[in-house]
Amino acid sequence: MKSGPKSKAMFQRAKGVMPCGTSSNFRYWGDDETLVVKRAKGAYLWDQDGKKYIDYRLGFGPVILGHACTSVIEKVKEALEIGNVFAMTNEYEISVGEKIKKLTGVDLVRYANSGTEATMHAIRIARAYTGRNKVLKFEGHYHGFHDYTLWNTYPPIPGAGYRRSPVLVAHGSGIPSIVGQLIISIPFNDEELLEKKVKENWGDIACIIVEPLMGNTASIMPRKGFLGYIRKLCDQYGIVMLMDEIKTGFRIAKGGAQEYFNVKADLVAYGKALGNGFPLAAIGGKKEIMGEIGPLMIPHGGTYAGNVVATSAADATLDEIMTGALDKVKQHGGKLMKGLREILQKRGIPAVVQGPSSMFGIIFSEKDEVIEYRDWSSSDHDTYEKVILKLFEKGVMPDKDSREPWFISASHSDSDADYVIGAFEEAVREVI
Ligand SMILES: Cc1ncc(COP(=O)(O)O)c(C=O)c1O
């Protein structure tokens, strides 16, 4: 879909100040297609030309309550009266930490400003704690923009080799190849391969970092028992299990993926929904490990870590999470998943609609079971993108990249769901 004249003009200005006119490579959709936002409220977003969209991107997931949520905004306004950054402990940090502990069961937390920072710090903590350097990660899992894990994130297939002996591929230029020596990457959901790699390398492996479900590859779910198997191997070989809950935390359940899948990690990274989109992230974990952070022990810090703006926003957000916001999210997502699945089935289009209702993915694939990045890679994402571009025209905006789940907020209404199901049916008819 081509952007309107005002978006286009604004985008030209943007290109004058930012490479590709965006602050992130993931946001560039093409010179004629990249929209510029005017504003957003609740479940809706307006572009510069005044076109309204029901938003299912939600800023890549954080906006769990809805855009410009009144209770969050009010709390932030109130908090701003006391100042916004002290680089000293403040009351909101404590309150948010207490709520995170209550909801997730972690013993201690430290704050950061983005998911990238949180996973970067968590990896360092795991390395320090174990005295080992290597990180085992899974293909198609994304953990942020630092060099440590930007390997086999979305590797070209067959460039990444045969699945049982993958070739390590950096996500792009500028990532030192020497860092790759510290990475072991394998496909998700393969217990046998995981066991083999762990047995071969355990003395070097500090942590296994895992997205509990593939929040960056169409919400592909873990096979039954797979996360528990990671837990078991980590216990057996003294490896830190590091769950990356940046997308799943405070979204798929109050206690995140640890609750949803009933598996306890050693360290957990949170972000996104924690602050309803205000830039707060956290590393949580067991006291035995987190308690080793400190001067002359394990380094961690940051000027803005725990600042008043972000922590006050999280304080209000977690109150809403604790008092039932996720019920609305689940209900809306469940209705959409059912409706979209029925349309695809009725028209005989081979597809899977998968994941938790708060962040589900759709893959156009003939396969009965979609369990790893390579299954997504061989799926028909071009057709998916065409369907989504038709949805854009009809004022519905999930991400057009089928790796991005449909994110649901507590502000999406039942009538939104009815409209979206109707629009999806039309879009599918028009494209396929
Ligand atoms: C699972 C996961 N980890 C880490 C990150 C990085 O978070 P941020 O973009 O806040 O740095 C993301 C971002 O999408 C993510 O999905």
Side-chain angles (χ1 to χ4, degrees):
M1 192 188 79
K2 300 267 185 259
S3 51
K6 287 187 181 159
S7 258
K8 205 161 278 170
M10 192 77 82
F11 186 65
Q12 284 312 314
R13 277 179 60 200
K15 281 207 342 180
V17 290
M18 295 175 282
C20 305
T22 61
S23 289
S24 163
N25 288 359
F26 293 142
R27 300 181 201 169
Y28 177 69
W29 296 346
D31 274 13
D32 292 330
E33 289 85 9
T34 307
L35 297 175
V36 180
V37 175
K38 180 92 175 165
R39 69 185 186 94
K41 180 75 186 164
Y44 310 120
L45 181 144
W46 288 262
D47 69 16
Q48 285 290 332
D49 292 275
K51 186 168 166 60
K52 180 181 172 187
Y53 301 86
I54 307 174
D55 185 12
Y56 290 104
R57 294 178 69 255
L58 298 178
F60 289 138
V63 187
I64 187 75
L65 303 176
H67 291 286
C69 174
T70 308
S71 60
V72 179
I73 302 284
E74 288 306 316
K75 187 74 161 228
V76 174
K77 277 187 190 161
E78 176 196 308
L80 279 174
E81 294 298 325
I82 67 165
N84 60 317
V85 71
F86 315 124
M88 292 166 78
T89 299
N90 74 70
E91 195 178 332
Y92 293 106
E93 289 174 89
I94 303 168
S95 175
V96 172
E98 286 166 350
K99 286 170 190 171
I100 295 176
K101 282 179 63 168
K102 190 165 175 204
L103 286 167
T104 67
V106 299
D107 297 329
L108 289 168
V109 298
R110 270 285 177 98
Y111 297 106
N113 307 293
S114 68
T116 299
E117 259 187 78
T119 59
M120 180 191 76
H121 285 301
I123 288 170
R124 178 179 304 131
I125 295 164
R127 284 178 167 150
Y129 181 73
T130 55
R132 304 169 182 170
N133 284 331
K134 287 196 178 172
V135 172
L136 191 150
K137 80 173 288 281
F138 298 97
E139 283 178 359
H141 289 221
Y142 171 66
H143 305 291
F145 261 118
H146 53 71
D147 294 343
Y148 292 165
T149 51
L150 220 38
W151 298 86
N152 288 21
T153 313
Y154 307 119
I157 305 292
Y162 175 52
R163 65 175 301 289
R164 289 186 56 78
S165 44
V167 175
L168 203 58
V169 184
H171 188 64
S173 302
I175 300 166
S177 57
I178 198 163
V179 181
Q181 291 174 16
L182 300 177
I183 284 285
I184 299 164
S185 172
I186 54 171
F188 193 46
N189 270 328
D190 186 330
E191 287 188 9
E192 189 200 331
L193 195 50
L194 176 64
E195 183 183 325
K196 179 171 176 285
K197 289 290 173 192
V198 168
K199 281 191 170 157
E200 283 168 5
N201 298 281
W202 67 267
D204 295 324
I205 301 176
C207 64
I208 297 179
I209 186 167
V210 59
E211 279 191 77
L213 64 98
M214 295 182 69
N216 289 282
T217 308
S219 286
I220 292 175
M221 293 290 267
R223 270 180 162 156
K224 199 168 182 316
F226 185 70
L227 297 175
Y229 193 65
I230 297 179
R231 177 67 277 169
K232 189 174 146 211
L233 288 175
C234 285
D235 287 340
Q236 208 171 336
Y237 291 96
I239 297 167
V240 169
M241 180 173 182
L242 167 48
M243 214 186 257
D244 180 350
E245 289 229 50
I246 302 295
K247 276 191 170 166
T248 54
F250 312 107
R251 170 169 282 285
I252 66 171
K254 286 181 189 172
Q258 292 194 103
E259 177 188 322
Y260 192 95
F261 295 112
N262 193 25
V263 174
K264 278 269 171 248
D266 300 306
L267 289 178
V268 190
Y270 295 110
K272 303 225 180 205
L274 172 60
N276 197 44
F278 279 83
L280 185 68
I283 306 124
K286 294 183 175 162
K287 192 169 181 194
E288 184 191 339
I289 303 175
M290 293 294 289
E292 299 301 319
I293 297 171
L296 308 181
M297 300 205 302
I298 303 179
H300 167 263
T303 304
Y304 298 109
N307 72 79
V308 171
V309 180
T311 49
S312 60
D315 206 30
T317 304
L318 294 183
D319 282 343
E320 301 272 1
I321 301 282
M322 282 168 154
T323 51
L326 295 187
D327 296 341
K328 292 188 208 155
V329 174
K330 203 170 153 192
Q331 195 192 342
H332 182 89
K335 180 167 174 170
L336 273 190
M337 280 179 94
K338 183 168 175 288
L340 305 189
R341 193 182 279 130
E342 277 171 9
I343 290 163
L344 294 167
Q345 277 169 358
K346 200 167 68 186
R347 300 186 67 85
I349 297 163
V352 279
V353 181
Q354 66 201 345
S357 51
S358 56
M359 51 176 288
F360 63 86
I362 302 177
I363 295 185
F364 287 175
S365 170
E366 307 264 348
K367 294 190 171 178
D368 296 335
E369 206 191 12
V370 173
I371 53 162
E372 58 171 274
Y373 167 75
R374 289 163 192 252
D375 296 330
W376 172 83
S377 181
S378 63
S379 73
D380 185 2
H381 21 86
D382 291 341
T383 302
Y384 180 84
E385 181 173 323
K386 284 184 191 138
V387 171
I388 301 304
L389 290 175
K390 283 284 174 200
L391 277 183
F392 279 19
E393 287 170 17
K394 298 172 201 303
V396 181
M397 191 191 276
D399 206 278
K400 65 190 177 66
D401 184 336
S402 66
R403 286 170 294 196
E404 274 300 313
W406 289 52
F407 288 106
I408 314 298
S409 80
S411 295
H412 284 98
S413 70
D414 215 38
S415 57
D416 290 333
D418 291 333
Y419 176 78
V420 172
I421 291 167
F424 187 78
E425 182 149 37
E426 278 176 27
V428 167
R429 196 179 328 119
E430 284 161 18
V431 173
I432 306 175

